[in-house]
Amino acid sequence: MTSTQLDHLATAALQDALIDIAELASQARQAHWNVRGTTFLPVHRWLDELAETLRAHADTLAERIATLGGWPDACSETLSERNTLESLPFGRLTTSQALTAMETGLERVAAVVTSWLRSPAMEDDPVTADLLTSLCRDLQAQQWLARAQQ
């Protein structure tokens, strides 16, 4: 493969991750506003921290896409059409519902990122591979936090 083809594959991997990360950040914020229950406060705070962590990752992904010559796309239409996550239920969420939804979403995004890490493009782009590995590590740590609070 040429270096241009590899850059296109790496950009595609980053764009897929960006879409799901941006959507999950939005869902975390939505859950943060609507969570209720006996463990409301710690879950409410964790959802806020999760949304900020995911937004920081989205920025890093978008910057790498631009570095490789691509154009990051996290427009609402793109997120709606291309994310791989289940929709968050509308309205009131129990702490258990919010935590389960976030755990499931984190697991899904980690699976997408892991599948891209196995791509041939990552063998020739250690910077993008490192970025995606770091992202996956953080997603799995956050998934554990969601699971531990249930």
Side-chain angles (χ1 to χ4, degrees):
M1 270 191 211
T2 68
S3 118
T4 302
Q5 290 171 319
L6 291 171
D7 283 352
H8 287 303
L9 278 175
T11 300
L14 293 162
Q15 183 61 48
D16 283 354
L18 174 61
I19 289 167
D20 281 349
I21 290 292
E23 175 62 22
L24 191 56
S26 177
Q27 288 186 14
R29 179 60 61 202
Q30 182 70 21
H32 165 84
W33 294 327
N34 291 293
V35 70
R36 303 290 186 270
T38 57
T39 58
F40 162 79
L41 194 54
V43 172
H44 177 77
R45 287 179 178 157
W46 176 74
L47 288 165
D48 193 34
E49 292 169 10
L50 176 61
E52 290 307 312
T53 296
L54 293 170
R55 284 191 179 130
H57 279 297
D59 283 347
T60 302
L61 292 164
E63 289 165 1
R64 182 68 181 154
I65 291 168
T67 299
L68 293 172
W71 298 96
D73 182 4
C75 295
S76 58
E77 295 85 11
T78 303
L79 299 184
S80 176
E81 292 170 6
R82 291 190 44 206
N83 85 79
T84 66
L85 305 175
E86 293 180 27
S87 296
L88 190 67
F90 178 76
R92 182 184 192 275
L93 295 170
T94 65
T95 53
S96 178
Q97 287 174 310
L99 291 166
T100 298
M102 291 302 104
E103 180 185 359
T104 301
L106 288 159
E107 180 179 28
R108 176 68 193 138
V109 179
V112 167
V113 170
T114 299
S115 71
W116 273 110
L117 280 167
R118 293 186 181 110
S119 147
M122 295 307 117
E123 294 172 14
D124 293 321
D125 185 351
V127 175
T128 300
D130 183 60
L131 189 154
L132 292 176
T133 299
S134 175
L135 171 61
C136 196
R137 183 176 24 275
D138 285 354
L139 293 170
Q140 290 174 348
Q142 291 295 331
Q143 184 183 3
W144 173 77
L145 289 173
R147 206 171 28 249
Q149 294 181 77
Q150 293 186 45

